[in-house]
């Protein structure tokens, strides 16, 4: 039995209690100030406000001021906050970390480091650790197609745990894997995280093909599948440029997670409304008005700027990223979606 | 302007006239005895019985007895018949082939050669050519996500043309490519055809995940995406074992075509009804009763037996093909779909 603390009480954080409890672990879940309503519900045995399911009574829930108690004695910490909150929240967690703890993260995305360089989140986390802990705390990133609600009802799921330390990845795998929650361990944390962050960006593009179908009443599956292929290819270029491999790109974190992300979710919906004819400006204004966070929108800019940074150091060329450049033009320069993506498909073939 | 003859008047054959006419070529379409109704409709300017669209008047349609006239003078022949009819129909075409003609094929699948060995269709075709023509007739196989109806309404589409002769692939590309029908040329005809044949088999598995969702009212996107990933991986093993590469597997013919095939179509529907609870026996009986051909059903057995043949010669191991073996057990040994696929996902992870 391990003591595990989940940091963040949203859909994914609370869904992870299912495999953890199935394996007989002691599970604690801490919520930020924004999670107060959730923590209150969990403490009272009421349904979780996000996914409307009651969590098992065995879960110990903690309010924001009780972070120290929530972490005390834990062997495994799992970060499950939104990507834009990662830096702030992990900074609060760090003072309570002890030598030898494993820190998992299901939070995905990019961030700027203190020099303005775009980094993957595990790198940001590592930079926040005090020097004394940097070599003893291992970070494990989670990739692969995993919708939180499906974890709750135990739909068979397979994910990748990636860490520079294969032992840490395997430790976390042993703690969480069940018959319906299958886990692969890998050392390619860079490739895994590149996919985890970029699949949201590319899912916006796949959504556009769905939007074209709805606009003219004619399916555009050919378009969607071609874009899917090019998205995977470009995630491969990016992984290689950053020192990762192609293994996670063609595996669960890349092709697998893009498949599920392109099927449903907010990223796809953003693309869909643009494909249907709303301008990107209008779509984003609508989104902001409704206070909906679509991770793919900033991910397109992060990805595009990251490639430009890599280009400056000779590690990549924007020419390889025809689809990403097209998505950037559509989302940030208000170019027409249909003609831009049609042009992208022609250009890719000619490269 | 090229003279092009399409052999087969079904949905895909007749859809190819769209890019061909857009490029100003002379297009002839020949139908087998089973296509009489279609040819009559096309000749009378009536809608094509399969997709209910009228073909442009410029298409010259030929009945079965007029094969010689249909082929006479053509520079490019495109085979577009069902895979089980390929041997019989191509045998009728061969006597009219002339030195230097290029033969494209959109027909996909496996066949047995005269020694009982399972081969890809271009190999079957090559074996049917007289010795004198074997070195001068080039065969070009088509892979990638391309639903025929979407070609008709010019949804942006990207496909791969594969030939041992890159010149032949590029020639056919130049003849057919348009702004919305994008074509990549490659020499990996083996990998391209392995994907073209096997994607139907694996799409049946993806359909099962959809069926699970419908059965219990809870989505199983995680399951579908994991199976998608494993399907692509296994197509890669098969391509390598047969002397192909991974390039088409991770490109349009593999990941791309599986994406579109898993979204819709008969293969997916067969899987869906099994996932919903019908036994494979019942599902197949129903299918046969309704005279519906589902290519994925024989493809699962072809693929499974092919791996066994490769295993005998030490080129592959059935252990690598966990998902294919699972699909074989479900479809041909009446094993339960849910527990078999759940077991598959666990086994894959442990390999």
């Amino acid at each position: 039995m391990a003591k595990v603390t989940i940091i963040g009480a949203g859909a994914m954080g609370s869904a992870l209690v299912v495999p953890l409890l199935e394996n007989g672990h002691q599970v604690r879940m801490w919520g930020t100030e924004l999670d107060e309503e959730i923590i209150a519900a969990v403490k009272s045995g009421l349904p979780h406000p996000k996914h409307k399911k009651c969590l098992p009574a065995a879960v110990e829930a903690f309010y924001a001021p009780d972070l120290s108690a929530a972490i005390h004695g834990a062997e495994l910490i799992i970060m499950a906050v939104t990507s834009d909150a990662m830096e702030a929240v992990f900074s609060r967690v760090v003072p309570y970390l002890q030598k030898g703890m494993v820190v998992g993260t299901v939070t995905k995305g990019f961030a700027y480091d203190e020099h303005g360089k775009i980094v993957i989140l595990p790198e940001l986390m590592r930079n926040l650790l005090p020097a004394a802990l940097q070599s003893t705390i291992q970070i494990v990133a989670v990739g692969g197609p995993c919708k939180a609600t499906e974890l709750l009802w135990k739909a068979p799921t397979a994910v990748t745990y990636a860490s520079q330390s294969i032992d840490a990845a395997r430790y976390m795998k042993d703690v969480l894997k069940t018959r319906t929650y299958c886990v692969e361990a890998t050392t390619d944390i860079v490739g895994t995280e590149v996919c985890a962050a970029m699949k949201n960006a590319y899912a916006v593009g796949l959504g556009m093909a769905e939007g074209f179908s709805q606009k003219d009443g004619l399916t555009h599956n050919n378009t969607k599948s071609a874009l899917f292929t090019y998205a995977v290819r470009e995630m491969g270029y990016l992984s290689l440029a950053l020192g990762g491999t192609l293994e996670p790109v063609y595996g669960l974190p890349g092709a697998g997670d893009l498949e599920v992300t392109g099927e449903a979710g907010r990223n796809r919906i953003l693309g869909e409304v643009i494909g249907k004819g709303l301008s990107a400006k209008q779509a984003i204004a609508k989104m902001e008005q409704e206070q909906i966070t679509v991770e793919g929108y900033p991910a397109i800019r992060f990805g595009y700027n990251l490639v430009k940074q890599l280009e400056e150091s000779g590690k990549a060329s924007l020419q390889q990223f025809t689809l990403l450049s097209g998505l950037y033009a559509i989302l940030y320069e208000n170019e027409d979606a249909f003609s831009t993506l049609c042009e992208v498909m022609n250009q890719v073939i000619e490269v």
Side-chain angles (χ1 to χ4, degrees), chain A:
Chain A
M1 193 201 72
K3 289 183 185 172
V4 183
T5 301
I6 299 166
I7 301 293
M12 183 57 84
S14 61
L16 285 171
V17 307
V18 172
L20 285 168
L21 288 176
E22 196 177 331
N23 289 338
H25 301 298
Q26 186 185 326
V27 181
R28 294 179 288 192
M29 187 170 73
W30 175 83
T32 69
E33 286 75 6
L34 298 174
D35 294 332
E36 266 182 31
E37 189 198 345
I38 298 175
I39 297 296
V42 173
K43 278 182 174 290
S44 322
L46 296 171
H48 188 293
K50 292 266 180 192
H51 46 61
K52 318 295 179 204
K53 301 264 172 194
C54 292
L55 295 189
V59 177
E60 236 184 309
F62 292 84
Y63 285 109
D66 305 326
L67 182 57
S68 167
I71 295 181
H72 182 75
E75 294 141 60
L76 173 63
I77 315 283
I78 302 177
M79 297 298 300
V81 294
T82 57
S83 52
D84 52 351
M86 177 57 116
E87 183 165 6
V89 176
F90 192 62
S91 299
R92 290 164 69 180
V93 166
V94 164
Y96 304 108
L97 295 179
Q98 302 286 327
K99 197 177 145 180
M101 282 180 176
V102 169
V103 180
T105 171
V106 293
T107 304
K108 297 158 181 183
F110 293 114
Y112 286 100
D113 72 3
E114 69 273 31
H115 311 294
K117 193 184 137 208
I118 295 168
V119 294
I120 55 175
L121 290 184
E123 201 174 327
L124 179 87
M125 292 164 72
R126 186 155 293 284
N127 293 342
L128 290 171
L129 291 175
L133 285 180
Q134 292 221 347
S135 61
T136 72
I137 298 258
Q138 296 298 342
I139 294 169
V140 181
V142 177
C146 185
K147 291 175 73 175
T149 48
E150 299 192 6
L151 265 193
L152 289 170
W153 54 69
K154 300 188 183 177
T157 298
V159 295
T160 298
Y161 286 0
S163 177
Q164 286 175 327
S165 156
I166 193 71
D167 288 343
R170 287 191 182 134
Y171 163 76
M172 184 163 153
K173 169 181 172 168
D174 287 341
V175 170
L176 276 109
K177 72 162 180 174
T178 69
R179 181 170 173 263
T180 53
Y181 183 68
C182 310
V183 181
E184 287 189 337
T186 171
T187 55
D188 188 359
I189 193 167
V190 171
T192 300
E193 280 296 289
V194 163
C195 293
M198 290 307 293
K199 61 113 194 340
N200 291 324
Y202 288 110
V204 177
L206 303 191
M208 289 176 195
E210 298 285 347
F212 301 154
S213 301
Q214 291 170 23
K215 188 180 181 185
D216 54 18
L218 305 169
T219 61
H220 280 67
N221 293 329
N222 293 356
T223 313
K224 187 181 173 192
S225 295
L227 297 179
F228 178 90
T229 311
Y230 299 142
V232 174
R233 195 180 290 181
E234 292 187 10
M235 290 195 290
Y237 295 145
L238 196 54
S239 175
L240 292 176
L242 288 165
T245 71
L246 295 177
E247 189 199 332
V249 176
Y250 295 134
L252 295 165
D257 203 359
L258 183 60
E259 218 280 330
V260 81
T261 312
E263 290 279 298
R266 294 167 176 178
N267 298 295
R268 172 183 146 153
I269 291 165
L270 172 61
E272 217 168 272
V273 296
I274 294 172
K276 264 160 86 174
L278 221 56
S279 76
K281 261 193 190 151
Q282 292 169 315
I284 291 150
K286 188 163 176 277
M287 215 174 74
E288 283 169 354
Q289 200 183 336
E290 294 172 10
Q291 293 192 298
I292 296 173
T293 311
V294 182
E295 293 178 287
Y297 176 55
I300 288 169
R301 185 160 57 185
F302 264 120
Y304 183 79
N305 287 334
L306 176 56
V307 172
K308 287 212 291 189
Q309 286 186 358
L310 288 164
E311 197 169 44
E312 281 165 29
S313 55
K315 289 183 182 158
S317 154
L318 207 49
Q319 281 190 322
Q320 299 174 294
F321 296 84
T322 320
L323 177 52
L324 182 60
S325 302
L327 292 174
Y328 184 84
I330 296 165
L331 269 297
Y332 289 93
E333 294 166 349
N334 228 30
E335 292 289 338
D336 175 66
F338 186 84
S339 57
T340 302
L341 290 183
C342 197
E343 186 55 31
V344 161
M345 286 175 61
N346 275 285
Q347 280 178 16
V348 170
I349 293 289
E350 298 310 326
V351 165

mmCIF file of all heavy atoms in Angstrom, chain A residues 266-298:
data_model
loop_
_atom_site.group_PDB
_atom_site.id
_atom_site.type_symbol
_atom_site.label_atom_id
_atom_site.label_comp_id
_atom_site.label_asym_id
_atom_site.label_seq_id
_atom_site.Cartn_x
_atom_site.Cartn_y
_atom_site.Cartn_z
ATOM 1 N N ARG A 266 -13.216 20.133 -26.225
ATOM 2 C CA ARG A 266 -13.275 21.555 -26.549
ATOM 3 C C ARG A 266 -12.385 21.948 -27.717
ATOM 4 O O ARG A 266 -12.699 22.869 -28.463
ATOM 5 C CB ARG A 266 -12.838 22.360 -25.329
ATOM 6 C CG ARG A 266 -13.786 22.224 -24.175
ATOM 7 C CD ARG A 266 -13.119 22.779 -22.949
ATOM 8 N NE ARG A 266 -14.011 22.761 -21.809
ATOM 9 C CZ ARG A 266 -13.659 23.157 -20.607
ATOM 10 N NH1 ARG A 266 -12.437 23.617 -20.393
ATOM 11 N NH2 ARG A 266 -14.518 23.109 -19.616
ATOM 12 N N ASN A 267 -11.232 21.303 -27.835
ATOM 13 C CA ASN A 267 -10.329 21.654 -28.930
ATOM 14 C C ASN A 267 -11.002 21.398 -30.263
ATOM 15 O O ASN A 267 -10.962 22.221 -31.171
ATOM 16 C CB ASN A 267 -9.047 20.828 -28.823
ATOM 17 C CG ASN A 267 -8.303 21.119 -27.541
ATOM 18 O OD1 ASN A 267 -7.832 22.231 -27.335
ATOM 19 N ND2 ASN A 267 -8.211 20.129 -26.666
ATOM 20 N N ARG A 268 -11.608 20.224 -30.334
ATOM 21 C CA ARG A 268 -12.304 19.896 -31.566
ATOM 22 C C ARG A 268 -13.450 20.871 -31.820
ATOM 23 O O ARG A 268 -13.661 21.299 -32.950
ATOM 24 C CB ARG A 268 -12.845 18.473 -31.478
ATOM 25 C CG ARG A 268 -13.722 18.164 -32.646
ATOM 26 C CD ARG A 268 -14.338 16.810 -32.566
ATOM 27 N NE ARG A 268 -15.653 16.870 -33.168
ATOM 28 C CZ ARG A 268 -16.255 15.837 -33.721
ATOM 29 N NH1 ARG A 268 -15.664 14.673 -33.731
ATOM 30 N NH2 ARG A 268 -17.442 15.969 -34.240
ATOM 31 N N ILE A 269 -14.165 21.239 -30.763
ATOM 32 C CA ILE A 269 -15.311 22.135 -30.938
ATOM 33 C C ILE A 269 -14.873 23.502 -31.453
ATOM 34 O O ILE A 269 -15.511 24.081 -32.329
ATOM 35 C CB ILE A 269 -16.114 22.260 -29.621
ATOM 36 C CG1 ILE A 269 -16.802 20.912 -29.327
ATOM 37 C CG2 ILE A 269 -17.142 23.384 -29.699
ATOM 38 C CD1 ILE A 269 -17.330 20.773 -27.921
ATOM 39 N N LEU A 270 -13.752 24.010 -30.931
ATOM 40 C CA LEU A 270 -13.239 25.293 -31.429
ATOM 41 C C LEU A 270 -12.990 25.194 -32.937
ATOM 42 O O LEU A 270 -13.396 26.067 -33.715
ATOM 43 C CB LEU A 270 -11.942 25.672 -30.698
ATOM 44 C CG LEU A 270 -11.208 26.895 -31.254
ATOM 45 C CD1 LEU A 270 -12.067 28.152 -31.177
ATOM 46 C CD2 LEU A 270 -9.870 27.127 -30.536
ATOM 47 N N GLY A 271 -12.324 24.112 -33.355
ATOM 48 C CA GLY A 271 -12.076 23.926 -34.783
ATOM 49 C C GLY A 271 -13.370 23.813 -35.574
ATOM 50 O O GLY A 271 -13.509 24.379 -36.665
ATOM 51 N N GLU A 272 -14.314 23.102 -34.982
ATOM 52 C CA GLU A 272 -15.586 22.841 -35.659
ATOM 53 C C GLU A 272 -16.328 24.141 -35.994
ATOM 54 O O GLU A 272 -16.800 24.315 -37.113
ATOM 55 C CB GLU A 272 -16.444 21.988 -34.728
ATOM 56 C CG GLU A 272 -17.276 20.943 -35.416
ATOM 57 C CD GLU A 272 -17.853 19.970 -34.396
ATOM 58 O OE1 GLU A 272 -17.176 18.980 -34.088
ATOM 59 O OE2 GLU A 272 -18.962 20.217 -33.898
ATOM 60 N N VAL A 273 -16.408 25.038 -35.014
ATOM 61 C CA VAL A 273 -17.162 26.278 -35.274
ATOM 62 C C VAL A 273 -16.440 27.135 -36.304
ATOM 63 O O VAL A 273 -17.076 27.815 -37.121
ATOM 64 C CB VAL A 273 -17.448 27.092 -33.980
ATOM 65 C CG1 VAL A 273 -18.348 26.295 -33.044
ATOM 66 C CG2 VAL A 273 -16.177 27.531 -33.281
ATOM 67 N N ILE A 274 -15.113 27.057 -36.316
ATOM 68 C CA ILE A 274 -14.371 27.809 -37.338
ATOM 69 C C ILE A 274 -14.592 27.156 -38.706
ATOM 70 O O ILE A 274 -14.842 27.832 -39.701
ATOM 71 C CB ILE A 274 -12.868 27.882 -36.981
ATOM 72 C CG1 ILE A 274 -12.674 28.705 -35.699
ATOM 73 C CG2 ILE A 274 -12.064 28.488 -38.131
ATOM 74 C CD1 ILE A 274 -11.260 28.696 -35.148
ATOM 75 N N GLY A 275 -14.527 25.829 -38.738
ATOM 76 C CA GLY A 275 -14.765 25.124 -40.001
ATOM 77 C C GLY A 275 -16.155 25.388 -40.551
ATOM 78 O O GLY A 275 -16.368 25.435 -41.764
ATOM 79 N N LYS A 276 -17.108 25.585 -39.653
ATOM 80 C CA LYS A 276 -18.493 25.851 -40.063
ATOM 81 C C LYS A 276 -18.676 27.257 -40.606
ATOM 82 O O LYS A 276 -19.693 27.557 -41.223
ATOM 83 C CB LYS A 276 -19.436 25.668 -38.876
ATOM 84 C CG LYS A 276 -20.088 24.310 -38.819
ATOM 85 C CD LYS A 276 -20.601 23.990 -37.454
ATOM 86 C CE LYS A 276 -21.987 24.505 -37.166
ATOM 87 N NZ LYS A 276 -22.432 23.978 -35.826
ATOM 88 N N GLY A 277 -17.698 28.126 -40.325
ATOM 89 C CA GLY A 277 -17.799 29.428 -40.963
ATOM 90 C C GLY A 277 -17.559 30.622 -40.050
ATOM 91 O O GLY A 277 -17.385 31.741 -40.524
ATOM 92 N N LEU A 278 -17.534 30.403 -38.729
ATOM 93 C CA LEU A 278 -17.223 31.513 -37.831
ATOM 94 C C LEU A 278 -15.758 31.895 -38.048
ATOM 95 O O LEU A 278 -14.916 31.018 -38.253
ATOM 96 C CB LEU A 278 -17.424 31.033 -36.381
ATOM 97 C CG LEU A 278 -18.089 31.991 -35.388
ATOM 98 C CD1 LEU A 278 -19.444 32.443 -35.894
ATOM 99 C CD2 LEU A 278 -18.236 31.314 -34.038
ATOM 100 N N SER A 279 -15.436 33.182 -38.027
ATOM 101 C CA SER A 279 -14.027 33.544 -38.116
ATOM 102 C C SER A 279 -13.362 33.177 -36.794
ATOM 103 O O SER A 279 -14.023 33.058 -35.760
ATOM 104 C CB SER A 279 -13.873 35.046 -38.378
ATOM 105 O OG SER A 279 -14.114 35.761 -37.188
ATOM 106 N N ALA A 280 -12.052 32.969 -36.829
ATOM 107 C CA ALA A 280 -11.331 32.611 -35.614
ATOM 108 C C ALA A 280 -11.551 33.679 -34.539
ATOM 109 O O ALA A 280 -11.773 33.368 -33.374
ATOM 110 C CB ALA A 280 -9.846 32.434 -35.915
ATOM 111 N N LYS A 281 -11.508 34.945 -34.969
ATOM 112 C CA LYS A 281 -11.725 36.050 -34.020
ATOM 113 C C LYS A 281 -13.054 35.905 -33.292
ATOM 114 O O LYS A 281 -13.140 36.025 -32.079
ATOM 115 C CB LYS A 281 -11.714 37.395 -34.757
ATOM 116 C CG LYS A 281 -10.403 38.120 -34.659
ATOM 117 C CD LYS A 281 -10.553 39.560 -35.135
ATOM 118 C CE LYS A 281 -9.166 40.188 -35.269
ATOM 119 N NZ LYS A 281 -9.128 41.222 -36.295
ATOM 120 N N GLN A 282 -14.097 35.637 -34.075
ATOM 121 C CA GLN A 282 -15.438 35.480 -33.486
ATOM 122 C C GLN A 282 -15.485 34.264 -32.565
ATOM 123 O O GLN A 282 -16.034 34.310 -31.466
ATOM 124 C CB GLN A 282 -16.483 35.303 -34.597
ATOM 125 C CG GLN A 282 -16.709 36.536 -35.454
ATOM 126 C CD GLN A 282 -17.545 36.198 -36.696
ATOM 127 O OE1 GLN A 282 -17.298 35.201 -37.369
ATOM 128 N NE2 GLN A 282 -18.518 37.044 -36.992
ATOM 129 N N ALA A 283 -14.883 33.161 -33.034
ATOM 130 C CA ALA A 283 -14.923 31.926 -32.255
ATOM 131 C C ALA A 283 -14.225 32.105 -30.917
ATOM 132 O O ALA A 283 -14.701 31.645 -29.873
ATOM 133 C CB ALA A 283 -14.279 30.790 -33.046
ATOM 134 N N ILE A 284 -13.103 32.814 -30.943
ATOM 135 C CA ILE A 284 -12.336 32.982 -29.706
ATOM 136 C C ILE A 284 -13.029 33.970 -28.774
ATOM 137 O O ILE A 284 -13.061 33.773 -27.557
ATOM 138 C CB ILE A 284 -10.888 33.403 -30.033
ATOM 139 C CG1 ILE A 284 -10.190 32.207 -30.698
ATOM 140 C CG2 ILE A 284 -10.141 33.836 -28.795
ATOM 141 C CD1 ILE A 284 -9.126 32.594 -31.658
ATOM 142 N N ALA A 285 -13.613 35.006 -29.348
ATOM 143 C CA ALA A 285 -14.355 35.971 -28.530
ATOM 144 C C ALA A 285 -15.506 35.258 -27.813
ATOM 145 O O ALA A 285 -15.722 35.449 -26.604
ATOM 146 C CB ALA A 285 -14.892 37.098 -29.409
ATOM 147 N N LYS A 286 -16.208 34.397 -28.535
ATOM 148 C CA LYS A 286 -17.332 33.643 -27.991
ATOM 149 C C LYS A 286 -16.864 32.761 -26.829
ATOM 150 O O LYS A 286 -17.487 32.705 -25.777
ATOM 151 C CB LYS A 286 -17.924 32.792 -29.120
ATOM 152 C CG LYS A 286 -19.215 32.068 -28.811
ATOM 153 C CD LYS A 286 -19.891 31.618 -30.102
ATOM 154 C CE LYS A 286 -21.148 30.805 -29.821
ATOM 155 N NZ LYS A 286 -20.884 29.388 -29.532
ATOM 156 N N MET A 287 -15.740 32.110 -27.081
ATOM 157 C CA MET A 287 -15.121 31.208 -26.115
ATOM 158 C C MET A 287 -14.745 31.956 -24.832
ATOM 159 O O MET A 287 -15.021 31.514 -23.735
ATOM 160 C CB MET A 287 -13.826 30.745 -26.777
ATOM 161 C CG MET A 287 -13.372 29.379 -26.536
ATOM 162 S SD MET A 287 -11.913 29.156 -27.643
ATOM 163 C CE MET A 287 -10.664 30.128 -26.756
ATOM 164 N N GLU A 288 -14.143 33.149 -25.024
ATOM 165 C CA GLU A 288 -13.709 33.921 -23.864
ATOM 166 C C GLU A 288 -14.908 34.439 -23.084
ATOM 167 O O GLU A 288 -14.906 34.464 -21.861
ATOM 168 C CB GLU A 288 -12.796 35.074 -24.310
ATOM 169 C CG GLU A 288 -11.392 34.556 -24.625
ATOM 170 C CD GLU A 288 -10.496 35.576 -25.311
ATOM 171 O OE1 GLU A 288 -10.973 36.674 -25.672
ATOM 172 O OE2 GLU A 288 -9.305 35.251 -25.499
ATOM 173 N N GLN A 289 -15.919 34.827 -23.826
ATOM 174 C CA GLN A 289 -17.147 35.320 -23.213
ATOM 175 C C GLN A 289 -17.774 34.233 -22.337
ATOM 176 O O GLN A 289 -18.260 34.508 -21.240
ATOM 177 C CB GLN A 289 -18.103 35.694 -24.344
ATOM 178 C CG GLN A 289 -19.206 36.632 -23.959
ATOM 179 C CD GLN A 289 -20.130 36.848 -25.171
ATOM 180 O OE1 GLN A 289 -19.705 36.668 -26.326
ATOM 181 N NE2 GLN A 289 -21.363 37.224 -24.911
ATOM 182 N N GLU A 290 -17.742 33.015 -22.827
ATOM 183 C CA GLU A 290 -18.330 31.906 -22.069
ATOM 184 C C GLU A 290 -17.341 31.311 -21.061
ATOM 185 O O GLU A 290 -17.630 30.292 -20.437
ATOM 186 C CB GLU A 290 -18.822 30.823 -23.046
ATOM 187 C CG GLU A 290 -19.982 31.292 -23.918
ATOM 188 C CD GLU A 290 -20.345 30.303 -25.025
ATOM 189 O OE1 GLU A 290 -19.834 29.166 -25.012
ATOM 190 O OE2 GLU A 290 -21.141 30.681 -25.906
ATOM 191 N N GLN A 291 -16.183 31.946 -20.943
ATOM 192 C CA GLN A 291 -15.135 31.519 -20.007
ATOM 193 C C GLN A 291 -14.736 30.053 -20.190
ATOM 194 O O GLN A 291 -14.504 29.316 -19.230
ATOM 195 C CB GLN A 291 -15.574 31.767 -18.564
ATOM 196 C CG GLN A 291 -15.693 33.262 -18.266
ATOM 197 C CD GLN A 291 -15.846 33.533 -16.794
ATOM 198 O OE1 GLN A 291 -16.817 33.092 -16.183
ATOM 199 N NE2 GLN A 291 -14.898 34.240 -16.202
ATOM 200 N N ILE A 292 -14.694 29.653 -21.456
ATOM 201 C CA ILE A 292 -14.271 28.294 -21.773
ATOM 202 C C ILE A 292 -12.782 28.314 -22.113
ATOM 203 O O ILE A 292 -12.336 29.122 -22.927
ATOM 204 C CB ILE A 292 -15.068 27.736 -22.984
ATOM 205 C CG1 ILE A 292 -16.555 27.634 -22.623
ATOM 206 C CG2 ILE A 292 -14.528 26.385 -23.424
ATOM 207 C CD1 ILE A 292 -17.443 27.256 -23.783
ATOM 208 N N THR A 293 -12.018 27.456 -21.456
ATOM 209 C CA THR A 293 -10.594 27.351 -21.749
ATOM 210 C C THR A 293 -10.393 26.254 -22.790
ATOM 211 O O THR A 293 -10.802 25.119 -22.583
ATOM 212 C CB THR A 293 -9.804 26.949 -20.484
ATOM 213 O OG1 THR A 293 -10.210 27.812 -19.426
ATOM 214 C CG2 THR A 293 -8.316 27.070 -20.713
ATOM 215 N N VAL A 294 -9.790 26.619 -23.909
ATOM 216 C CA VAL A 294 -9.480 25.616 -24.931
ATOM 217 C C VAL A 294 -7.971 25.521 -25.045
ATOM 218 O O VAL A 294 -7.320 26.420 -25.575
ATOM 219 C CB VAL A 294 -10.096 25.993 -26.295
ATOM 220 C CG1 VAL A 294 -9.794 24.914 -27.331
ATOM 221 C CG2 VAL A 294 -11.599 26.164 -26.161
ATOM 222 N N GLU A 295 -7.399 24.444 -24.521
ATOM 223 C CA GLU A 295 -5.940 24.339 -24.452
ATOM 224 C C GLU A 295 -5.259 24.393 -25.815
ATOM 225 O O GLU A 295 -4.121 24.811 -25.944
ATOM 226 C CB GLU A 295 -5.553 23.046 -23.729
ATOM 227 C CG GLU A 295 -5.955 23.074 -22.267
ATOM 228 C CD GLU A 295 -5.602 21.765 -21.565
ATOM 229 O OE1 GLU A 295 -6.280 20.758 -21.814
ATOM 230 O OE2 GLU A 295 -4.651 21.772 -20.780
ATOM 231 N N GLY A 296 -5.969 23.937 -26.839
ATOM 232 C CA GLY A 296 -5.369 23.908 -28.171
ATOM 233 C C GLY A 296 -5.054 25.297 -28.711
ATOM 234 O O GLY A 296 -4.123 25.463 -29.505
ATOM 235 N N TYR A 297 -5.822 26.291 -28.272
ATOM 236 C CA TYR A 297 -5.627 27.645 -28.799
ATOM 237 C C TYR A 297 -4.257 28.206 -28.404
ATOM 238 O O TYR A 297 -3.445 28.537 -29.284
ATOM 239 C CB TYR A 297 -6.803 28.527 -28.351
ATOM 240 C CG TYR A 297 -6.699 29.971 -28.742
ATOM 241 C CD1 TYR A 297 -6.517 30.348 -30.063
ATOM 242 C CD2 TYR A 297 -6.795 30.973 -27.769
ATOM 243 C CE1 TYR A 297 -6.416 31.681 -30.410
ATOM 244 C CE2 TYR A 297 -6.706 32.312 -28.113
ATOM 245 C CZ TYR A 297 -6.503 32.662 -29.433
ATOM 246 O OH TYR A 297 -6.398 33.982 -29.776
ATOM 247 N N PRO A 298 -3.926 28.274 -27.098
ATOM 248 C CA PRO A 298 -2.557 28.698 -26.778
ATOM 249 C C PRO A 298 -1.503 27.696 -27.268
ATOM 250 O O PRO A 298 -0.380 28.082 -27.599
ATOM 251 C CB PRO A 298 -2.556 28.797 -25.248
ATOM 252 C CG PRO A 298 -3.723 27.992 -24.784
ATOM 253 C CD PRO A 298 -4.734 28.073 -25.884
#
